[in-house]
Structures are given as C-alpha cells and as structure tokens.
Amino acid sequence: MGATLIASVVGTAAALLSITSFAPQIVKIWREKDASSVSLRTYVVTVAGFSCWIAYGVLIKAWPVIASNTACLLMSGAVLALKWRYSRKER
C-alpha cells in the first residue's frame, strides 16, 4: 500500500466517522422530542467551526475538505435546529 492510498483510507474513515457521529444525537432528540441536555453553545461553536473549515477548503480548493465538512455542518446544524425547535416548546 502506498502512502497516498493509506492517507485516502484514513481521511475517508475520519470523514465518515465525523459525519455519522451526529446521528445518534439527532435520533435521540427526535425520538424523545427533548433537547434539554444538548449544549446550545457547543453546537453554535461546532457549526461555526465547520463553516470555517468549508471556507478553508474553498480557499485551498480541496473538495474532500469541503464535502466532508459540509456534511458535518448539515448534521450539526440539524442538532442545533432541533435544539431550537424543542427549546421553544419548553418556554
């Protein structure tokens, strides 16, 4: 195996794990209709971070960085949207 292939495999695994890491939280919030245990500040910072990664990917023209961080942004954005949705019901 060449170093480029190993780097591609590791990068792909990292992207897939990062993207899917948000799924359990989304499913839990959706099923329970409760996001009180989710930190609003954490997800605001997470969404901002992924947005910066996307901008960085655009600047260096790296489509893997853009694609994986866009997927992560959508997933973390979903958690943030669910937090906002179910927090409004609590008020």
Side-chain angles (χ1 to χ4, degrees):
M1 256 190 190
T4 304
L5 179 59
I6 293 170
S8 293
V9 169
V10 170
T12 300
L16 291 173
L17 290 168
S18 294
I19 293 163
T20 58
S21 70
F22 297 99
Q25 187 71 70
I26 292 168
V27 170
K28 181 180 187 298
I29 295 169
W30 189 263
R31 283 186 182 158
E32 296 177 4
K33 309 282 190 252
D34 176 32
S36 61
S37 63
V38 173
S39 169
L40 178 62
R41 289 181 186 146
T42 297
Y43 277 91
V44 167
V45 171
T46 301
V47 165
F50 287 129
S51 298
C52 288
W53 273 113
I54 294 166
Y56 173 71
V58 169
L59 291 170
I60 66 167
K61 298 177 176 74
W63 71 264
V65 173
I66 298 166
S68 61
N69 284 288
T70 297
C72 286
L73 176 64
L74 292 172
M75 296 291 280
S76 61
V79 173
L80 192 57
L82 289 169
K83 171 68 175 174
W84 180 72
R85 177 181 180 183
Y86 293 119
S87 293
R88 287 182 42 193
K89 287 186 176 182
E90 294 169 4
R91 291 180 189 164

